Amino acid sequence: MNGRFKASGGAVGGGLLVAGTTSDAGKSVVTAGICRWLARQGVRVAPFKAQNMSLNSFVTREGAEIGRAQAMQAAAARVEPTALMNPVLLKPGSDRSSQVVLLGKAVGELSARGYHAGRQEQLLGTVTDCLQELRRTHDAVICEGAGSPAEINLRRTDIVNMGLARAARIPVMVVGDIDRGGVFASFFGTTALLSKEDQALVAGYLVNKFRGDVTLLEPGLEMLRGLTGRQTLGVLPFSHGLGIDEEDGLRVSLRGAVRESVVAPPHGAEVLRVAVAAVPLMSNFTDVDALAAEPGVVVRFVDRAEELADADLVVLPGTRGTVRALEWLRERGLADAVARRAAEGRPVLGICGGYQMLGERIEDDIESKAGTVDGLGLLPVRVRFAAEKTLARPVGEALGEPVAGYEIHHGVAEVTGGDETFISDGRGHSLDGCRAGSVWGTHWHGSLESDSFRRAFLRRVAADAGRAFVPAPDTGFATLREEQLDRLGDLIEEHADTAALLRLIEEGVPEGLPFVPPGAP
């Protein structure tokens, strides 16, 4: 086995696949938690997800696009994220098609049928090569599955769940969300729907989001072991405010959802209310997490015009469908409401696709193929969609403060006027974006994570909104993220059977795991 190391008194190495009974069972959280727990033991660990469907993505230092969840897991592992950690990323453009990003670069659009009919199966070699390279250079690789391993309609072409586990011969731990109910049936049913060969790799279960006295759960765990021959490797308690980067699937509306915020009271006399338009195919909505981390900033997602009335700042976020999102804003009366705000001098911020929508016109023969479309006309910007996607990790200066971000967009913006550049190189040369009145726009994702810039921007917003809001002087977003990742590591260390996990990672699949009938049909 590659890369043996000493941790907790024993030699371990290798890999583990964290699967789930459903989407959102907690695979991303558990994978990150295991990575942070191992990293704290001095283990060289890396995350891996063979295939990810998400509109929340990130740009690595080498200019590759991967899922934000894998970037977060890399941070948990205390390693630099790379394209190897997420070789296949699917970015939905509709209910039936996605852009395929292979090893960090977009290679085209495919329908779901076209992808599962052959393209996915062809990628298994690429996926296993990436995993092998990570295992060669790290002591352990913690892999995250997708959806459920018991999606029997997709098993033949699977490269992310049991298909990957079979190809790499790594043990599988199945996570179930008990807060949803039915976790015992989910564990049993997931196992019983797998073939004999796949079942031989399922080494145990992990209960997630448990509330109450764990001793009340123990009789059920014993019965589950009797029925399946597999142990439960831990019971993680329900934990509020983890605030990790999410995978979003095809979520259409998040109206009323409030981003997790710190509990601290506002630093000034008043709070600042931020309304984020929950546009279709919303991408990188994690951009507003840094706002929600500020004491006294309340962030919520909205999809009705009247919900903008009491907002001090309206954010138009990124989207994989800029033209479609424009139509949606107009249909719901949000476009007119945003225009009225701008006319009244009330703050509006557009990020990436949101920036493009604020411009005068969009020429799109790439994403929507709609040709020339009128924008909202609130910024002096003309956007042309290019075939080549811009992927970058730029740095600059905004409002007199250093700022860093990342770019993921096909749209190329031509700024024809405005009151000032949004982001410059610090020597008077424009790098990105612009401002017209109280309307701001930038292509840079993640810029609000730059603490001093975020505080300067919020001071401008508060002044324009007439709010007695004062940003806290000591909020460090990177520090808060580290604390959250440590909390994930604590969950594993305190509530999982870490000795059993180490055995799985070191020794691989246990021998003699029983078959649970009926198996795959």
Side-chain angles (χ1 to χ4, degrees):
M1 184 172 290
N2 291 326
R4 287 182 172 254
F5 58 92
K6 287 284 183 181
S8 300
V12 296
L16 175 72
L17 175 66
V18 179
T21 56
T22 62
S23 295
D24 296 324
K27 298 183 292 290
S28 295
V29 168
V30 170
T31 300
I34 294 174
C35 285
R36 175 49 61 100
W37 161 64
L38 287 173
R40 292 195 302 210
Q41 314 303 313
V43 176
R44 294 175 301 165
V45 59
F48 180 77
K49 186 160 186 173
Q51 172 192 295
N52 192 354
M53 176 173 280
S54 180
L55 289 170
N56 283 336
S57 58
F58 182 76
V59 179
T60 67
R61 291 200 184 281
E62 71 267 31
E65 185 179 7
I66 65 172
R68 272 201 67 107
Q70 279 61 66
M72 176 271 296
Q73 291 161 355
R78 295 176 176 154
V79 295
E80 189 66 31
T82 73
L84 292 174
M85 297 173 183
N86 180 205
V88 182
L89 173 64
L90 305 178
K91 302 192 72 175
S94 71
D95 291 345
R96 296 190 177 185
S97 68
S98 294
Q99 182 181 68
V100 181
V101 179
L102 179 62
L103 292 174
K105 303 297 180 183
V107 296
E109 296 273 341
L110 274 179
S111 68
R113 180 179 293 275
Y115 183 67
H116 289 289
R119 179 60 168 161
Q120 184 181 34
E121 203 169 9
Q122 297 167 9
L123 294 174
L124 181 59
T126 300
V127 161
T128 54
D129 286 348
C130 290
L131 176 56
Q132 180 61 25
E133 177 63 18
L134 286 174
R135 295 182 75 178
R136 188 182 68 80
T137 55
H138 294 79
D139 299 319
V141 179
I142 308 303
C143 308
E144 179 187 345
S148 163
E151 291 168 350
I152 54 180
N153 55 316
L154 303 177
R155 175 61 186 90
R156 183 181 63 82
T157 58
D158 171 53
I159 63 172
V160 64
N161 290 309
M162 302 313 299
L164 176 70
R166 286 268 290 275
R169 294 302 302 170
I170 55 176
V172 177
M173 178 178 69
V174 181
V175 178
D177 179 356
I178 197 170
D179 197 51
R180 297 183 176 195
V183 74
F184 293 116
S186 297
F187 283 143
F188 181 86
T190 296
T191 308
L193 276 178
L194 300 179
S195 69
K196 183 176 181 180
E197 294 77 11
D198 286 351
Q199 284 192 28
L201 301 178
V202 176
Y205 311 112
L206 186 79
V207 176
N208 191 28
K209 298 183 183 178
F210 179 72
R211 306 172 191 252
D213 183 353
V214 73
T215 61
L216 298 177
L217 196 63
E218 289 171 353
L221 301 179
E222 283 301 313
M223 285 186 274
L224 181 67
R225 183 165 189 167
L227 289 166
T228 67
R230 290 156 175 87
Q231 70 180 108
T232 297
L233 299 165
V235 178
L236 306 187
F238 191 99
S239 182
H240 290 281
L242 293 176
I244 64 160
D245 297 344
E246 300 172 69
E247 295 172 4
D248 49 28
L250 286 169
R251 196 172 299 172
V252 176
S253 173
L254 290 173
R255 183 176 64 80
V258 179
R259 296 302 283 170
E260 302 264 15
S261 315
V262 292
V263 180
H267 194 70
E270 294 183 294
V271 300
L272 203 68
R273 295 173 176 83
V274 179
V276 184
V279 297
L281 299 174
M282 181 166 46
S283 62
N284 287 67
F285 57 78
T286 49
D287 281 333
V288 300
D289 285 352
L291 295 179
E294 285 283 351
V297 175
V298 180
V299 178
R300 57 195 174 97
F301 292 88
V302 304
D303 62 4
R304 295 189 301 216
E306 57 269 28
E307 293 176 300
L308 303 188
D310 66 344
D312 302 305
L313 171 66
V314 169
V315 178
L316 301 186
T319 171
R320 246 287 271 154
T322 302
V323 170
R324 177 178 169 187
L326 260 175
E327 294 172 351
W328 182 87
L329 290 174
R330 288 175 169 135
E331 289 168 358
R332 289 175 171 262
L334 285 159
D336 289 339
V338 171
R340 286 194 298 271
R341 289 183 61 88
E344 295 166 359
R346 302 170 68 196
V348 177
L349 171 65
I351 302 174
C352 199
Y355 170 39
Q356 296 165 8
M357 288 186 279
L358 290 170
E360 296 169 349
R361 72 168 186 240
I362 298 169
E363 297 176 23
D364 180 12
D365 295 317
I366 303 298
E367 189 175 77
S368 69
K369 298 180 173 58
T372 301
V373 176
D374 288 337
L376 298 179
L378 302 180
L379 287 176
V381 176
R382 297 171 184 174
V383 176
R384 176 184 53 82
F385 273 62
E388 189 74 18
K389 184 186 288 190
T390 297
L391 297 171
R393 289 273 295 273
V395 295
E397 181 180 291
L399 299 179
E401 303 291 347
V403 61
Y406 57 99
E407 295 183 74
I408 307 170
H409 54 92
H410 284 280
V412 178
E414 177 191 0
V415 180
T416 61
D419 298 318
E420 64 178 291
T421 292
F422 197 163
I423 302 173
S424 71
D425 63 0
R427 297 185 298 274
H429 301 113
S430 175
L431 291 180
D432 182 76
C434 70
R435 177 184 69 85
S438 61
V439 180
W440 304 75
T442 176
H443 269 129
W444 290 21
H445 295 289
S447 61
L448 293 167
E449 296 179 16
S450 299
D451 296 330
S452 57
F453 161 67
R454 181 181 66 254
R455 287 192 278 270
F457 179 68
L458 288 176
R459 283 192 290 269
R460 288 284 293 267
V461 168
D464 287 347
R467 290 286 184 189
F469 169 84
V470 179
D474 55 355
T475 302
F477 187 73
T479 300
L480 290 173
R481 273 291 166 89
E482 274 297 297
E483 291 172 357
Q484 290 167 333
L485 293 174
D486 273 331
R487 289 178 61 195
L488 296 183
D490 292 342
L491 283 175
I492 298 299
E493 187 169 348
E494 296 169 9
H495 301 283
D497 186 340
T498 53
L501 285 176
L502 287 172
R503 283 195 300 273
L504 285 179
I505 296 169
E506 178 192 11
E507 301 171 8
V509 183
E511 295 290 336
L513 292 170
F515 172 68
V516 180

